Amino acid sequence: MGGFRQSVAASVPALRRYARALTRDAEVADDLVQDTLVRALRSEHLFHGGELRSWLYTILTNLNRNRLRALARRPAMAAIEDNDAPDLAGPEAGGRDIERALAALADDQRSVLLLVVLEGLSYREVAEVQGVPIGTVMSRLARARMQIKDYLDGNRPPLRRVK
Amino acid sequence: MMERDVPVTADELHAYVDGVLPPDRRAAVEAWLAVHPNDAADVAQWRAQADAIRARYGAIASETVPERFDLDRLTRPRSSWRAIAATALIAAAIGAAAGWIAHGVSASPHPGFEQFSAEALNAHRLYIAEVRHPIEVGAGESHLLPWLSRRVGATLRAPNLEAYSLKLLGGRLLPGPNGPAALFMYETPAGERYTFYCSRANAPRTALRYNASGDTAAVLWVESEIGYVVSGPAARERLIEIAQSAYREMESRLPTRSTENEAMPRRGS
């Protein structure tokens, strides 16, 4: 009981990080997280063990899909996708470029990439979150990475912050 | 025959980058990359992407968690919270649009125009509330106007509204009803925010129109297939004055240089 709530609370920072990267909007992101928490607490009886973290990411991912549907802003992705030439570099251009490159991805691809590299989920966990086979996760991951590469290559040299 | 002779798959390259490759395949992948420069370049690029993503968003998880996420608070007034939480996102977006459209029906018969103004007002409401990230590119950055002009597909300028104590903070790119839209944000010393929205409009040329919706109001017009919307607090006289000033500046078709330069000195102030 208390353990469940504690684990949910402990996940909030990571959920906020994921939501922010997913939506690129702090307010929308925090609304999504709040909605996720409310649902998780309400559905505690539906949670039969397993990875709590994956479960929370699943709720958040689904809520975000609903949100996009509700907004029904169809040109959003296509518009940014076509040929957004990133702008001449300033010191922060790297951060903005990766933001735009992420924005140009299809939602499922962006979600896979973020869950893997930002949230550190395993491929199997990502497959659970998205409700797809692992092969689909791998192809989404590959497509996301190639598209970001194309996006960044098309316009300027690759990111500078290679460590 | 060792594992390293088994051909390396694309999935393994991803697993290698993500640190989840089984240890017994590591040597094989590294040997493969040593003789496949294209794959090695991909791997380096994917790592750089991951670094950039973590650099951009990683710190968010270290922020102090705002009180609104306190679980006890979230569950206390049960029924009302559920209703609010479940509908907050949608209501915020749709409510604004619906209210606006309902309000604008009699004034503007053109359907494309209504969606256009609803989008502009939504953007205004969403971004004026942003404390930390109201804009995407600052007014001091010289590529602000060229970038947004290129994306919207028209020569844009951010009107100089200093006469109304409005300083240009910068702008951002948004999805608009008919393609990309530009949103410029202005702020008074007291923190009141106004926005100037520009995007392609499928509507005929119009005169200036004033519309209020709650505590927010907008003045909009269409010229040469570009729609312009000035939004701000619902103080009619002032908003109309500001919009007229912006309108005149758009109409004058003067080179944008002076506007840019005057709008710039924001950084240190």
Side-chain angles (χ1 to χ4, degrees), chain A residues 5 12-13 16-17 20-21 25 27 30-31 33-35 37 41 71 73-76 79 82 84-85 87 96 98-100 116-117 123 138 141-142 145 148-149 158-159 161, chain B residues 11 14-15 18 42 45-46 49 52-57 60-61 63 65-66 68-69 71-72 74-75 81 85 89 93 115 119 129-130 136 141 143 147 150-151 175-177:
Chain A
R5 279 178 92 89
V12 172
R16 291 184 73 220
R17 173 179 60 200
R20 190 93 57 97
D25 184 298
E27 300 239 325
D30 277 350
D31 283 351
V33 172
Q34 182 171 320
D35 215 357
L37 298 176
L41 295 173
L71 287 180
R73 284 187 158 167
R74 68 250 123 66
D82 41 51
D84 185 22
D87 313 291
R96 270 208 307 275
I98 196 68
E99 248 185 83
R100 295 227 178 85
V116 170
V117 310
Y123 300 149
M138 296 314 293
L141 182 63
R145 283 177 160 155
I148 291 185
K149 176 178 188 297
L159 295 173
R161 52 169 21 268
Chain B
D11 285 1
H14 288 285
D18 296 322
D42 280 349
Q45 155 70 222
W46 299 343
Q49 290 174 13
I53 291 170
R54 287 189 284 258
R56 175 68 188 78
Y57 297 106
I60 293 165
E63 289 175 6
V65 173
R68 64 184 282 196
F69 299 115
L71 299 190
D72 292 330
L74 286 180
T75 40
W81 250 121
L89 283 172
Q115 197 204 344
E119 294 263 356
E130 274 292 326
E136 194 174 9
E141 301 200 46
H143 60 274
W147 166 55
R150 186 172 68 244
R151 294 313 317 276

Coordinates of all heavy atoms in Angstrom, one line a residue, chain A residues 5 12-13 16-17 20-21 25 27 30-31 33-35 37 41 71 73-76 79 82 84-85 87 96 98-100 116-117 123 138 141-142 145 148-149 158-159 161, chain B residues 11 14-15 18 42 45-46 49 52-57 60-61 63 65-66 68-69 71-72 74-75 81 85 89 93 115 119 129-130 136 141 143 147 150-151 175-177:
Chain A
R5 N 2.5 3.8 -3.2 CA 2.5 5.3 -3.3 C 3.9 5.8 -3.3 O 4.2 6.8 -4.0 CB 1.7 5.9 -2.1 CG 0.2 5.8 -2.3 CD -0.5 6.4 -1.1 NE -0.8 7.8 -1.2 CZ -1.9 8.4 -1.7 NH1 -2.8 7.6 -2.2 NH2 -2.0 9.6 -1.8
V12 N 8.1 10.5 -10.0 CA 7.7 11.8 -10.6 C 8.8 12.5 -11.3 O 8.6 13.0 -12.4 CB 7.1 12.6 -9.5 CG1 6.8 14.1 -10.0 CG2 5.8 12.0 -9.0
P13 N 10.0 12.6 -10.7 CA 11.0 13.4 -11.5 C 11.3 12.8 -12.9 O 11.4 13.6 -13.9 CB 12.3 13.3 -10.6 CG 11.7 13.1 -9.2 CD 10.5 12.2 -9.4
R16 N 8.4 13.6 -15.3 CA 8.4 14.9 -15.7 C 9.5 15.1 -16.8 O 9.2 15.8 -17.8 CB 8.7 15.9 -14.6 CG 7.6 16.0 -13.5 CD 8.0 17.0 -12.5 NE 7.9 18.4 -13.0 CZ 8.7 19.3 -12.7 NH1 9.8 19.1 -11.9 NH2 8.5 20.5 -13.1
R17 N 10.6 14.5 -16.7 CA 11.6 14.6 -17.7 C 11.2 14.0 -19.0 O 11.3 14.6 -20.1 CB 12.9 13.8 -17.2 CG 14.0 13.7 -18.2 CD 15.2 12.9 -17.6 NE 14.8 11.6 -17.2 CZ 15.4 10.8 -16.3 NH1 16.5 11.3 -15.8 NH2 15.0 9.6 -16.0
R20 N 8.4 16.2 -20.6 CA 8.9 17.4 -21.2 C 9.5 17.2 -22.5 O 9.3 17.9 -23.5 CB 9.9 18.1 -20.2 CG 10.3 19.5 -20.6 CD 9.5 20.5 -19.9 NE 9.5 20.4 -18.4 CZ 10.3 21.1 -17.6 NH1 11.1 21.9 -18.1 NH2 10.2 20.9 -16.3
A21 N 10.3 16.1 -22.6 CA 11.0 15.8 -23.8 C 10.0 15.4 -24.9 O 10.1 15.7 -26.1 CB 12.1 14.7 -23.6
D25 N 6.9 21.0 -24.0 CA 6.2 22.1 -23.5 C 6.0 21.9 -22.0 O 5.4 20.9 -21.6 CB 4.8 22.2 -24.2 CG 4.1 23.4 -23.7 OD1 3.8 23.5 -22.4 OD2 3.8 24.3 -24.5
E27 N 4.3 23.2 -19.5 CA 3.0 23.2 -18.9 C 2.2 21.9 -19.3 O 1.6 21.3 -18.5 CB 2.2 24.4 -19.4 CG 2.8 25.7 -19.0 CD 1.9 26.5 -18.2 OE1 0.7 26.5 -18.4 OE2 2.4 27.2 -17.3
D30 N 3.7 18.9 -17.5 CA 3.3 18.7 -16.1 C 1.9 18.4 -16.0 O 1.5 17.6 -15.1 CB 3.7 20.0 -15.3 CG 5.2 20.0 -14.9 OD1 5.8 19.0 -15.1 OD2 5.6 21.0 -14.4
D31 N 1.0 18.9 -16.9 CA -0.4 18.4 -16.8 C -0.5 16.9 -17.1 O -1.3 16.2 -16.5 CB -1.2 19.2 -17.9 CG -1.5 20.6 -17.4 OD1 -1.2 20.9 -16.2 OD2 -2.0 21.4 -18.2
V33 N 1.8 14.7 -16.5 CA 2.3 13.9 -15.4 C 1.2 13.9 -14.3 O 1.0 12.9 -13.7 CB 3.6 14.6 -14.9 CG1 4.0 13.9 -13.5 CG2 4.7 14.4 -15.9
Q34 N 0.6 15.0 -14.0 CA -0.4 15.1 -13.0 C -1.5 14.1 -13.3 O -2.0 13.4 -12.5 CB -0.9 16.5 -12.9 CG -2.0 16.6 -11.8 CD -2.3 18.1 -11.5 OE1 -1.5 18.9 -11.5 NE2 -3.6 18.3 -11.3
D35 N -1.9 14.1 -14.5 CA -3.0 13.3 -15.0 C -2.6 11.8 -14.8 O -3.4 10.9 -14.4 CB -3.4 13.6 -16.4 CG -4.8 13.4 -16.7 OD1 -5.6 13.0 -15.8 OD2 -5.2 13.7 -17.9
L37 N -0.5 10.6 -12.7 CA -0.5 10.2 -11.2 C -1.9 10.0 -10.7 O -2.1 9.0 -10.0 CB 0.2 11.3 -10.4 CG 1.7 11.6 -10.8 CD1 2.2 12.8 -10.0 CD2 2.5 10.4 -10.5
L41 N -3.0 6.3 -9.2 CA -3.5 6.1 -7.9 C -4.9 5.6 -7.9 O -5.2 4.7 -7.1 CB -3.5 7.5 -7.1 CG -2.0 8.1 -6.9 CD1 -2.1 9.5 -6.3 CD2 -1.2 7.2 -6.0
L71 N -6.4 17.3 -29.8 CA -6.0 18.6 -30.5 C -6.2 18.5 -32.0 O -6.5 19.5 -32.6 CB -4.5 18.9 -30.2 CG -4.2 19.3 -28.7 CD1 -2.7 19.6 -28.6 CD2 -5.0 20.6 -28.4
R73 N -4.4 18.4 -34.4 CA -3.6 19.4 -35.3 C -2.9 18.6 -36.3 O -1.7 18.4 -36.1 CB -2.7 20.1 -34.4 CG -3.4 21.1 -33.5 CD -2.4 22.0 -32.8 NE -3.0 23.2 -32.4 CZ -2.5 24.0 -31.6 NH1 -1.3 23.7 -31.1 NH2 -3.0 25.1 -31.2
R74 N -3.5 18.3 -37.3 CA -2.8 17.4 -38.3 C -1.5 17.9 -38.9 O -0.6 17.2 -39.1 CB -3.8 17.0 -39.4 CG -4.2 18.1 -40.3 CD -5.7 18.5 -40.1 NE -5.9 19.9 -39.8 CZ -5.6 20.9 -40.5 NH1 -5.1 20.7 -41.7 NH2 -5.9 22.1 -40.1
P75 N -1.4 19.2 -39.1 CA -0.1 19.6 -39.8 C 1.1 19.6 -38.9 O 2.2 19.8 -39.4 CB -0.4 21.0 -40.4 CG -1.7 21.4 -39.8 CD -2.2 20.4 -38.9
A76 N 0.9 19.4 -37.6 CA 2.0 19.7 -36.7 C 3.3 19.0 -37.1 O 4.3 19.6 -37.3 CB 1.6 19.2 -35.3
A79 N 4.5 19.7 -40.9 CA 5.0 21.1 -41.2 C 6.4 21.2 -40.7 O 7.2 21.8 -41.4 CB 4.1 22.1 -40.4
D82 N 9.1 19.0 -43.1 CA 9.6 19.0 -44.5 C 11.0 19.6 -44.7 O 11.9 18.8 -45.1 CB 8.6 19.6 -45.5 CG 7.9 20.8 -44.9 OD1 8.6 21.7 -44.4 OD2 6.7 20.8 -44.9
D84 N 12.9 22.1 -42.5 CA 13.3 23.1 -41.5 C 14.8 23.1 -41.4 O 15.5 22.3 -40.9 CB 12.8 22.7 -40.1 CG 13.0 23.7 -39.1 OD1 13.3 24.9 -39.5 OD2 13.1 23.4 -37.9
A85 N 15.4 24.1 -42.1 CA 16.8 24.2 -42.0 C 17.2 24.8 -40.6 O 16.8 26.0 -40.3 CB 17.3 25.2 -43.1
D87 N 19.1 26.8 -37.8 CA 19.6 28.1 -37.9 C 21.1 28.1 -37.6 O 21.6 27.2 -37.0 CB 18.8 29.0 -37.0 CG 17.4 28.7 -37.2 OD1 16.9 29.1 -38.3 OD2 16.8 28.1 -36.3
R96 N 18.7 23.3 -29.2 CA 17.5 23.6 -30.0 C 17.4 22.6 -31.2 O 16.3 22.2 -31.6 CB 17.5 25.0 -30.5 CG 16.8 26.0 -29.6 CD 16.3 27.1 -30.3 NE 17.3 27.8 -31.2 CZ 18.1 28.7 -30.7 NH1 18.1 29.0 -29.5 NH2 19.0 29.2 -31.6
I98 N 18.4 19.5 -31.4 CA 17.9 18.2 -31.0 C 16.4 18.3 -30.7 O 15.7 17.4 -31.0 CB 18.7 17.6 -29.9 CG1 18.5 16.1 -29.8 CG2 18.4 18.3 -28.5 CD1 19.1 15.3 -30.9
E99 N 16.0 19.4 -30.2 CA 14.6 19.6 -29.9 C 13.8 19.5 -31.2 O 12.7 18.9 -31.3 CB 14.4 21.0 -29.3 CG 13.9 20.9 -27.8 CD 13.6 22.3 -27.3 OE1 12.5 22.8 -27.5 OE2 14.5 22.9 -26.7
R100 N 14.2 20.2 -32.2 CA 13.5 20.3 -33.5 C 13.6 18.9 -34.2 O 12.6 18.5 -34.8 CB 14.1 21.3 -34.4 CG 14.0 22.7 -33.9 CD 13.5 23.6 -35.0 NE 13.3 24.9 -34.3 CZ 14.3 25.8 -34.2 NH1 15.5 25.5 -34.7 NH2 14.2 26.9 -33.6
V116 N 14.3 4.9 -24.4 CA 15.5 4.2 -24.4 C 16.7 5.1 -23.9 O 17.4 4.7 -22.9 CB 15.9 3.6 -25.8 CG1 17.3 3.1 -25.8 CG2 14.9 2.5 -26.1
V117 N 16.9 6.2 -24.5 CA 18.1 6.9 -24.2 C 18.0 7.9 -23.0 O 18.9 8.1 -22.3 CB 18.7 7.7 -25.4 CG1 18.8 6.9 -26.6 CG2 17.9 9.0 -25.7
Y123 N 14.6 -2.6 -24.1 CA 13.7 -2.7 -25.3 C 12.4 -3.5 -25.0 O 11.4 -3.2 -25.5 CB 14.5 -3.5 -26.4 CG 15.8 -2.8 -26.9 CD1 16.8 -3.5 -27.4 CD2 15.9 -1.4 -26.8 CE1 18.0 -2.9 -27.8 CE2 17.1 -0.8 -27.2 CZ 18.1 -1.5 -27.7 OH 19.3 -0.9 -28.1
M138 N 12.4 -2.0 -32.3 CA 13.8 -1.9 -32.9 C 13.7 -1.1 -34.2 O 14.5 -0.3 -34.5 CB 14.4 -3.3 -33.2 CG 14.7 -4.1 -32.0 SD 15.5 -3.1 -30.6 CE 17.1 -2.8 -31.4
L141 N 13.1 2.5 -33.4 CA 14.3 3.1 -32.8 C 15.3 3.4 -34.0 O 15.9 4.5 -34.1 CB 15.0 2.1 -31.9 CG 16.3 2.6 -31.2 CD1 16.0 3.8 -30.3 CD2 16.9 1.4 -30.3
A142 N 15.4 2.5 -34.9 CA 16.3 2.7 -36.0 C 15.9 3.8 -36.9 O 16.7 4.7 -37.3 CB 16.4 1.4 -36.9
R145 N 16.5 7.2 -35.2 CA 17.9 7.6 -35.2 C 18.4 8.0 -36.6 O 19.1 9.0 -36.8 CB 18.8 6.5 -34.7 CG 18.7 6.4 -33.2 CD 19.5 5.2 -32.6 NE 19.8 5.5 -31.2 CZ 20.0 4.6 -30.3 NH1 20.0 3.3 -30.6 NH2 20.2 4.9 -29.0
I148 N 16.9 11.5 -37.3 CA 17.5 12.6 -36.7 C 18.9 12.9 -37.3 O 19.2 14.0 -37.5 CB 17.7 12.3 -35.2 CG1 16.4 12.3 -34.5 CG2 18.7 13.3 -34.5 CD1 16.5 12.1 -33.0
K149 N 19.5 11.8 -37.7 CA 20.8 12.0 -38.4 C 20.6 12.8 -39.7 O 21.3 13.8 -40.0 CB 21.4 10.6 -38.7 CG 22.7 10.7 -39.5 CD 23.2 9.3 -39.7 CE 24.6 9.2 -40.4 NZ 24.7 9.8 -41.7
P158 N 27.1 17.5 -37.6 CA 26.5 16.9 -36.5 C 26.7 17.6 -35.2 O 27.6 18.5 -35.1 CB 27.2 15.5 -36.5 CG 27.9 15.4 -37.8 CD 28.0 16.7 -38.4
L159 N 25.9 17.3 -34.3 CA 26.0 17.9 -33.0 C 27.4 18.1 -32.5 O 28.2 17.2 -32.6 CB 25.2 17.1 -32.0 CG 23.8 17.0 -32.3 CD1 23.1 16.0 -31.4 CD2 23.1 18.4 -32.2
R161 N 28.2 18.5 -29.2 CA 28.6 18.0 -27.9 C 28.8 16.5 -27.9 O 28.1 15.7 -27.3 CB 27.5 18.4 -26.9 CG 26.1 18.0 -27.3 CD 25.2 18.2 -26.1 NE 25.7 19.1 -25.1 CZ 26.4 18.7 -24.1 NH1 26.7 17.5 -23.9 NH2 26.8 19.6 -23.2
Chain B
D11 N 20.3 -4.4 -35.2 CA 19.8 -4.4 -33.8 C 21.0 -4.4 -32.8 O 20.9 -3.8 -31.8 CB 18.9 -5.6 -33.6 CG 17.5 -5.4 -34.3 OD1 17.3 -4.4 -34.9 OD2 16.7 -6.3 -34.1
H14 N 22.5 -1.1 -32.3 CA 21.7 -0.2 -31.4 C 21.9 -0.7 -30.0 O 22.1 0.2 -29.1 CB 20.2 -0.3 -31.8 CG 19.9 0.4 -33.1 ND1 19.8 1.8 -33.2 CD2 19.6 0.0 -34.3 CE1 19.5 2.2 -34.4 NE2 19.4 1.1 -35.1
A15 N 21.9 -2.0 -29.8 CA 22.1 -2.5 -28.4 C 23.5 -2.1 -27.9 O 23.6 -1.8 -26.7 CB 21.9 -4.0 -28.4
D18 N 23.2 1.5 -26.8 CA 22.4 1.6 -25.6 C 22.9 0.8 -24.4 O 22.3 0.8 -23.4 CB 21.0 1.2 -26.0 CG 20.3 2.1 -27.0 OD1 20.6 3.3 -26.9 OD2 19.6 1.6 -27.9
D42 N 27.7 5.8 -38.0 CA 26.3 5.7 -37.4 C 26.3 5.6 -35.9 O 25.6 6.3 -35.2 CB 25.5 4.6 -38.0 CG 25.0 4.9 -39.4 OD1 25.1 6.1 -39.8 OD2 24.6 3.9 -40.1
Q45 N 27.3 8.8 -34.3 CA 26.2 9.8 -34.5 C 25.1 9.5 -33.5 O 24.5 10.3 -32.8 CB 25.7 9.8 -35.9 CG 24.3 10.2 -36.2 CD 24.1 11.7 -36.0 OE1 23.1 12.1 -35.4 NE2 25.0 12.5 -36.4
W46 N 24.7 8.2 -33.4 CA 23.6 7.8 -32.4 C 24.0 8.2 -31.0 O 23.2 8.6 -30.2 CB 23.3 6.3 -32.5 CG 22.9 5.9 -33.9 CD1 22.4 6.7 -34.9 CD2 22.8 4.6 -34.4 NE1 22.1 6.0 -36.0 CE2 22.3 4.6 -35.7 CE3 23.2 3.3 -33.9 CZ2 22.1 3.5 -36.5 CZ3 23.0 2.2 -34.7 CH2 22.5 2.3 -36.0
Q49 N 23.6 11.8 -30.5 CA 22.2 12.1 -30.4 C 21.8 11.9 -28.9 O 21.1 12.7 -28.3 CB 21.3 11.3 -31.3 CG 21.4 11.6 -32.7 CD 20.7 10.5 -33.6 OE1 19.9 9.8 -33.0 NE2 20.9 10.5 -34.9
A52 N 23.1 14.5 -26.7 CA 22.4 15.7 -26.8 C 21.0 15.7 -26.1 O 20.6 16.7 -25.5 CB 22.2 16.1 -28.3
I53 N 20.3 14.6 -26.3 CA 19.0 14.5 -25.6 C 19.2 14.5 -24.1 O 18.4 15.2 -23.4 CB 18.3 13.1 -26.1 CG1 17.9 13.2 -27.6 CG2 17.1 12.9 -25.2 CD1 17.5 11.9 -28.2
R54 N 20.1 13.8 -23.6 CA 20.3 13.8 -22.2 C 20.8 15.2 -21.7 O 20.4 15.6 -20.6 CB 21.3 12.7 -21.8 CG 20.7 11.3 -21.9 CD 21.6 10.3 -21.2 NE 22.7 10.0 -22.1 CZ 22.8 8.9 -22.9 NH1 21.8 8.0 -22.9 NH2 23.9 8.7 -23.7
A55 N 21.6 15.8 -22.5 CA 22.1 17.2 -22.1 C 20.9 18.1 -22.0 O 20.8 19.0 -21.2 CB 23.2 17.7 -23.0
R56 N 20.0 18.0 -23.0 CA 18.9 18.9 -23.1 C 17.9 18.7 -22.0 O 17.3 19.6 -21.5 CB 18.3 18.8 -24.5 CG 17.0 19.6 -24.7 CD 17.3 21.1 -24.8 NE 16.1 21.9 -24.8 CZ 15.4 22.1 -23.7 NH1 15.7 21.7 -22.6 NH2 14.3 22.9 -23.9
Y57 N 17.6 17.4 -21.7 CA 16.4 17.2 -20.8 C 16.8 16.5 -19.5 O 15.9 16.4 -18.6 CB 15.4 16.3 -21.6 CG 14.8 16.9 -22.8 CD1 15.2 16.5 -24.1 CD2 13.9 17.9 -22.6 CE1 14.6 17.1 -25.2 CE2 13.3 18.5 -23.8 CZ 13.7 18.1 -25.0 OH 13.2 18.7 -26.1
I60 N 16.0 18.0 -15.9 CA 14.6 18.2 -15.4 C 14.3 17.2 -14.3 O 13.6 17.6 -13.3 CB 13.6 17.9 -16.6 CG1 13.8 19.0 -17.6 CG2 12.2 17.9 -16.1 CD1 13.2 18.8 -19.0
A61 N 14.9 16.0 -14.3 CA 14.7 15.1 -13.2 C 15.3 15.5 -11.9 O 15.0 14.9 -10.9 CB 15.2 13.7 -13.7
E63 N 15.1 18.7 -10.9 CA 14.4 19.8 -10.4 C 13.6 19.4 -9.2 O 13.2 18.3 -9.0 CB 13.4 20.3 -11.4 CG 14.1 21.0 -12.6 CD 13.0 21.4 -13.7 OE1 11.8 21.2 -13.4 OE2 13.5 21.8 -14.8
V65 N 10.5 18.8 -7.2 CA 9.2 18.5 -7.7 C 8.2 19.5 -7.1 O 8.1 19.6 -5.9 CB 8.8 17.0 -7.2 CG1 7.4 16.7 -7.6 CG2 9.8 16.0 -7.9
P66 N 7.4 20.1 -8.0 CA 6.4 21.1 -7.5 C 5.4 20.4 -6.6 O 5.1 19.3 -6.8 CB 5.8 21.6 -8.8 CG 6.8 21.3 -9.9 CD 7.5 20.0 -9.5
R68 N 2.3 20.6 -6.7 CA 1.1 20.0 -7.3 C 1.2 18.5 -7.5 O 0.2 17.9 -7.7 CB 0.8 20.7 -8.6 CG 1.9 20.4 -9.7 CD 1.7 21.2 -10.9 NE 0.7 20.6 -11.8 CZ 0.6 20.9 -13.1 NH1 1.3 21.8 -13.6 NH2 -0.4 20.3 -13.8
F69 N 2.4 18.0 -7.4 CA 2.5 16.5 -7.6 C 2.5 15.7 -6.3 O 2.8 14.5 -6.3 CB 3.8 16.2 -8.4 CG 3.8 16.8 -9.8 CD1 4.7 17.8 -10.1 CD2 2.9 16.4 -10.7 CE1 4.7 18.4 -11.4 CE2 2.8 17.0 -12.0 CZ 3.7 18.0 -12.3
L71 N 1.2 13.5 -3.8 CA 0.2 12.5 -4.0 C -1.0 12.7 -3.1 O -2.2 12.5 -3.5 CB 0.7 11.1 -3.9 CG 1.8 10.7 -4.9 CD1 2.1 9.2 -4.8 CD2 1.5 11.1 -6.3
D72 N -0.8 13.1 -1.9 CA -1.9 13.3 -1.0 C -2.8 14.5 -1.5 O -4.0 14.4 -1.4 CB -1.4 13.6 0.5 CG -0.7 12.4 1.1 OD1 -1.1 11.3 0.7 OD2 0.2 12.6 1.9
L74 N -3.1 15.3 -4.5 CA -3.8 14.9 -5.7 C -5.1 14.0 -5.4 O -6.0 14.0 -6.2 CB -2.9 14.1 -6.6 CG -1.8 14.8 -7.3 CD1 -0.9 13.9 -8.2 CD2 -2.4 15.9 -8.3
T75 N -5.0 13.3 -4.3 CA -6.2 12.4 -4.1 C -7.2 12.9 -3.1 O -8.2 12.4 -2.9 CB -5.7 11.0 -3.6 OG1 -4.6 11.3 -2.7 CG2 -5.2 10.2 -4.7
W81 N -11.2 16.3 -8.2 CA -9.9 16.2 -8.8 C -10.0 15.3 -10.1 O -9.4 15.6 -11.1 CB -8.9 15.7 -7.9 CG -7.9 16.7 -7.5 CD1 -7.7 17.2 -6.3 CD2 -7.1 17.5 -8.4 NE1 -6.7 18.2 -6.3 CE2 -6.4 18.4 -7.6 CE3 -7.0 17.5 -9.8 CZ2 -5.5 19.3 -8.2 CZ3 -6.1 18.4 -10.3 CH2 -5.4 19.3 -9.5
A85 N -8.8 16.7 -13.5 CA -7.6 16.1 -14.1 C -7.9 15.5 -15.5 O -7.1 15.6 -16.4 CB -6.9 15.1 -13.2
L89 N -6.7 19.1 -19.8 CA -5.9 19.3 -21.0 C -6.8 19.6 -22.1 O -6.6 20.6 -22.9 CB -5.2 18.0 -21.3 CG -3.9 17.7 -20.5 CD1 -3.4 16.4 -20.8 CD2 -2.9 18.8 -20.8
A93 N -7.7 23.5 -24.2 CA -7.5 23.7 -25.6 C -8.8 24.0 -26.3 O -8.9 25.0 -27.1 CB -6.8 22.5 -26.3
Q115 N -11.1 29.5 -37.7 CA -10.1 28.5 -37.2 C -8.8 29.2 -37.0 O -8.1 29.0 -36.0 CB -10.0 27.3 -38.2 CG -9.3 26.2 -37.5 CD -8.6 25.2 -38.5 OE1 -8.8 25.3 -39.7 NE2 -7.7 24.4 -37.9
E119 N -6.8 29.4 -33.4 CA -5.4 28.9 -33.3 C -4.5 30.0 -32.7 O -3.7 29.7 -31.8 CB -4.8 28.5 -34.6 CG -5.5 27.3 -35.3 CD -4.7 26.0 -35.0 OE1 -3.6 26.1 -34.4 OE2 -5.2 25.0 -35.4
A129 N 1.5 32.2 -20.6 CA 1.5 31.6 -19.3 C 2.9 31.0 -19.0 O 3.2 30.6 -17.9 CB 0.5 30.5 -19.1
E130 N 3.7 30.9 -20.0 CA 5.0 30.3 -19.8 C 6.0 31.2 -19.1 O 6.3 32.3 -19.6 CB 5.7 30.0 -21.2 CG 5.2 28.7 -21.8 CD 5.8 27.5 -21.0 OE1 6.9 27.6 -20.5 OE2 5.1 26.5 -20.9
E136 N 11.1 30.7 -28.2 CA 12.0 29.7 -28.7 C 13.3 30.4 -29.1 O 14.4 29.8 -28.8 CB 11.4 29.0 -29.8 CG 12.0 27.7 -30.2 CD 11.2 27.0 -31.3 OE1 10.2 27.7 -31.8 OE2 11.5 25.9 -31.7
E141 N 18.6 37.5 -31.4 CA 19.3 36.6 -32.3 C 18.9 36.9 -33.7 O 17.7 37.0 -34.1 CB 18.9 35.1 -32.0 CG 19.3 34.8 -30.6 CD 19.4 33.3 -30.4 OE1 20.0 32.6 -31.2 OE2 18.9 32.8 -29.3
H143 N 18.9 35.6 -36.5 CA 18.2 34.7 -37.4 C 16.7 34.6 -37.1 O 16.0 33.9 -37.8 CB 18.8 33.3 -37.4 CG 18.8 32.6 -36.1 ND1 19.8 32.8 -35.2 CD2 18.0 31.8 -35.6 CE1 19.5 32.1 -34.1 NE2 18.4 31.5 -34.3
W147 N 14.5 33.2 -40.1 CA 14.0 31.8 -39.9 C 12.5 31.7 -40.0 O 11.9 30.9 -40.7 CB 14.5 31.3 -38.5 CG 13.9 30.1 -38.0 CD1 13.8 28.9 -38.5 CD2 13.2 30.0 -36.7 NE1 13.1 28.0 -37.7 CE2 12.7 28.7 -36.6 CE3 13.0 30.9 -35.6 CZ2 12.1 28.2 -35.4 CZ3 12.3 30.4 -34.5 CH2 11.9 29.1 -34.4
R150 N 11.1 32.3 -43.4 CA 11.3 31.2 -44.3 C 10.3 30.1 -44.1 O 9.7 29.5 -45.0 CB 12.7 30.6 -44.1 CG 13.1 29.5 -45.1 CD 14.5 29.1 -45.0 NE 14.8 28.5 -43.8 CZ 15.7 29.0 -42.9 NH1 16.3 30.1 -43.1 NH2 15.9 28.3 -41.7
R151 N 10.0 29.8 -42.8 CA 9.1 28.8 -42.5 C 7.6 29.1 -42.8 O 6.8 28.3 -43.2 CB 9.2 28.4 -41.0 CG 10.5 27.7 -40.6 CD 10.9 26.6 -41.5 NE 9.9 25.7 -42.0 CZ 9.5 24.7 -41.3 NH1 10.0 24.4 -40.1 NH2 8.5 23.9 -41.7
P175 N 2.7 25.0 -35.3 CA 1.8 24.5 -36.3 C 0.6 25.4 -36.4 O 0.0 25.8 -35.4 CB 1.4 23.2 -35.8 CG 1.5 23.2 -34.3 CD 2.6 24.2 -34.0
G176 N 0.3 25.9 -37.6 CA -0.9 26.7 -37.8 C -1.9 26.0 -38.6 O -1.7 24.9 -39.0
P177 N -3.1 26.6 -38.8 CA -4.2 25.9 -39.5 C -3.8 25.6 -41.0 O -4.3 24.6 -41.5 CB -5.3 26.9 -39.4 CG -4.7 28.2 -39.1 CD -3.4 28.0 -38.4

